[in-house]
Amino acid sequence: GVLDFLINFYPQGKLVHSPVYYIIIYYLQKIFGNEFTRFALMHLFLVIPFIYYKSINLKFKKSNFLIVMLIIFFISPSYRSIAIWSGREILTILFLILSIYNYSLFINYFKKKYIYFSFLLLALASYISPEVGIVSLIYLYEASKILNKKNLTKLILFNILISTPFLLYINHYLQFERAFSDNILINFVFNLPFFFSTIFIFTIPFVMVKFNEYLKFIIKNKLPFIILGLIFFFLTFNMENKIGGGAIYYVLKKLNLKTFIFIFSILGMMNIYFIFNKNILYNSFILIILLIQTCLNYHFFQKYVDLTWLLYFIFFFKSQDMSWYLEKLNFKFYLISIYFIIFSGSLIYMNGFMNG
C-alpha cells in the first residue's frame, strides 16, 4: 500500500522521482481502474495547448498563434508519448502552465491573489516534478518589483510553507547515493553540450527570419564564439554517453561524428545570446534557471527541452521582438517545419528500434 511505499520502498532509493504522482495514480487506478485512469489523463493533457494559447494572448494581448500551437503540440514526440504513456509530466505541465497563466495575470493586473495562485499551482507541479520548483525564483524576482516589503514577506513565508514537500524530496535526492548517478554538479557540467545542441534546433526559426543580422552578429562576436568552441570541445572530447543526449547527438553518433557535437553546442548558446541580447543580465538569470531545471539528471533527454523551451522563451526571457516573431508567417512556417522534422525523425527512430 501507500504507507509501505513511502516508508519501506521509497527511502531505499529505488525511485528517483517524487512519490506524489505515483500515490495519485495508485488511488485513481484503485477507484476507476487502469484503463479509465490513462484515458482520463490523456484527455486532460489535451487542454494544455488551449491554456498555453490563452496565456500567450494574455501577454501579447492578441495573437493568431492558436493553429500553430495546436500543430506544434500534437506533432511533438514528447507531447504525444507523455499523453499516451500517462507520464508524470502530464500533471506537471498542466499545473505549470496554469501557474504561468496566473503569473501573467499578476504581471498585467497587479492583483495579489494571482501571484498566490501562481505559487500554489507551481507548488503542486513541483510536488510531482521537483525540478520545476526552481521557477519560483523568477516569480519572486518579479513580485519584488511590484509588492511592498510587507506583502513580499508574506508571500515568501507562504512560499516556504507550501514548499515543504519539495524541500523534503530535495533532501532525499541529494543525500542518497545511487550507483547510476554522478554528483549533480558533474551532471550539470557534462549535460551542457547536450542542452545547447538541443536548444540549437529550436532556435533555428528565430535565426532564419533575421539571417542577415545573425551573420553580422556572429562576425562581431567571433572571439566569444572561439572561446565557447574551446570550452565545449574539451567538455565533449572522448565523451561516452550510451543513453540520451538529444536528437543531434543521436544522429552524430550514428554517423560516427559525435565529436562534432561541440559545434552545435556553440551555435545553440550563440543563438540564445542573439535572440535575447537586449536584457543580457536578466536573461542570463533566466537561462541559469532553465539549465538547473533540465541539466541536473544523470541522463539528458530531448524531452526535457522539447516543450519547456516554449514556456521560457515566450513567458520568462525578455525580448522586445518576441511578439514580432510570433506574428511573422515565415517564423511560423520554420517553427512548424522544425517540429515536423523532429516528428519524422522520431518515427524513423521508432521504426528502426522496433525492427531491431
Side-chain angles (χ1 to χ4, degrees):
V2 171
L3 289 178
D4 180 65
F5 173 77
L6 286 173
I7 296 172
N8 297 319
F9 179 81
Y10 187 71
Q12 294 178 21
K14 296 178 180 179
L15 188 68
V16 296
H17 299 147
S18 165
V20 174
Y21 180 71
Y22 299 96
I23 294 172
I24 294 171
I25 292 299
Y26 171 82
Y27 281 114
L28 288 176
Q29 291 179 341
K30 195 175 181 67
I31 297 170
F32 301 109
N34 181 49
E35 293 304 318
F36 182 81
T37 299
R38 290 185 63 181
F39 181 80
L41 286 172
M42 182 176 69
H43 283 77
L44 182 65
F45 208 40
L46 296 177
V47 306
I48 290 176
F50 176 73
I51 301 171
Y52 194 103
Y53 174 71
K54 293 283 289 183
S55 301
I56 290 177
N57 273 357
L58 188 62
K59 180 169 184 178
F60 298 110
K61 305 308 178 185
K62 187 177 181 181
S63 171
N64 56 359
F65 211 60
L66 178 59
I67 301 300
V68 177
M69 289 307 308
L70 290 174
I71 294 173
I72 287 174
F73 271 86
F74 287 112
I75 65 175
S76 163
S78 298
Y79 183 88
R80 293 164 65 87
S81 64
I82 290 167
I84 292 170
W85 292 104
S86 302
R88 66 191 177 100
E89 295 89 349
I90 290 178
L91 294 180
T92 300
I93 296 176
L94 179 62
F95 286 134
L96 180 58
I97 191 60
L98 285 171
S99 172
I100 290 173
Y101 179 72
N102 279 274
Y103 163 78
S104 299
L105 285 171
F106 172 71
I107 297 299
N108 278 13
Y109 302 113
F110 308 128
K111 292 186 177 180
K112 289 185 292 182
K113 66 177 182 179
Y114 293 130
I115 194 63
Y116 278 92
F117 281 137
S118 67
F119 270 112
L120 181 59
L121 289 161
L122 181 62
L124 292 175
S126 69
Y127 295 165
I128 298 166
S129 298
E131 62 271 12
V132 305
I134 194 72
V135 173
S136 62
L137 296 180
I138 301 173
Y139 290 179
L140 283 173
Y141 174 78
E142 293 296 339
S144 68
K145 298 191 295 184
I146 297 172
L147 300 176
N148 59 38
K149 289 184 179 179
K150 181 180 179 180
N151 287 322
L152 182 62
T153 302
K154 289 180 180 178
L155 182 64
I156 293 173
L157 292 174
F158 173 76
N159 192 40
I160 293 173
L161 178 64
I162 62 176
S163 297
T164 304
F166 165 75
L167 296 173
L168 290 173
Y169 169 80
I170 289 297
N171 180 64
H172 163 76
Y173 182 81
L174 294 181
Q175 287 188 1
F176 202 91
E177 293 292 334
R178 294 181 174 84
F180 58 84
S181 182
D182 290 324
N183 178 282
I184 59 171
L185 181 59
I186 295 175
N187 292 344
F188 180 82
V189 171
F190 283 97
N191 279 334
L192 289 178
F194 299 136
F195 171 87
F196 284 111
S197 63
T198 299
I199 210 71
F200 162 74
I201 299 171
F202 302 112
T203 55
I204 290 173
F206 295 91
V207 169
M208 292 300 292
V209 296
K210 289 188 173 184
F211 193 68
N212 290 334
E213 290 182 40
Y214 178 71
L215 290 178
K216 294 177 183 177
F217 171 81
I218 293 295
I219 294 170
K220 181 180 178 182
N221 294 278
K222 55 183 176 292
L223 180 59
F225 192 85
I226 294 170
I227 293 172
L228 284 173
L230 292 172
I231 293 171
F232 281 118
F233 176 77
F234 285 112
L235 280 178
T236 57
F237 186 71
N238 283 336
M239 179 176 56
E240 288 294 333
N241 189 67
K242 295 181 179 179
I243 301 176
I248 287 182
Y249 181 74
Y250 174 80
V251 172
L252 291 175
K253 191 175 181 181
K254 283 291 183 180
L255 298 173
N256 291 320
L257 296 171
K258 63 181 182 181
T259 305
F260 294 99
I261 190 175
F262 79 95
I263 295 174
F264 297 96
S265 302
I266 303 165
L267 290 171
M269 179 173 277
M270 293 298 287
N271 288 1
I272 290 179
Y273 182 46
F274 170 71
I275 299 166
F276 300 111
N277 65 81
K278 296 292 177 60
N279 297 278
I280 191 64
L281 290 178
Y282 177 82
N283 287 331
S284 296
F285 163 67
I286 300 299
L287 178 59
I288 290 169
I289 298 294
L290 176 57
L291 288 169
I292 292 173
Q293 183 180 331
T294 55
C295 293
L296 296 186
N297 289 328
Y298 184 62
H299 298 299
F300 179 91
F301 295 104
Q302 181 141 339
K303 69 176 184 178
Y304 297 160
V305 178
D306 193 10
L307 298 177
T308 306
W309 80 271
L310 283 165
L311 300 176
Y312 275 82
F313 272 47
I314 292 179
F315 298 110
F316 295 146
F317 282 109
K318 288 186 178 178
S319 171
Q320 297 174 348
D321 297 330
M322 189 54 64
S323 59
W324 179 84
Y325 281 120
L326 296 180
E327 295 302 320
K328 294 288 287 184
L329 287 176
N330 54 347
F331 173 79
K332 296 174 185 177
F333 171 77
Y334 293 136
L335 190 58
I336 292 173
S337 298
I338 288 295
Y339 270 91
F340 182 77
I341 292 170
I342 294 171
F343 175 67
S344 301
S346 70
L347 290 180
I348 295 170
Y349 168 77
M350 287 305 299
N351 184 60
F353 179 80
M354 294 299 291
N355 293 329

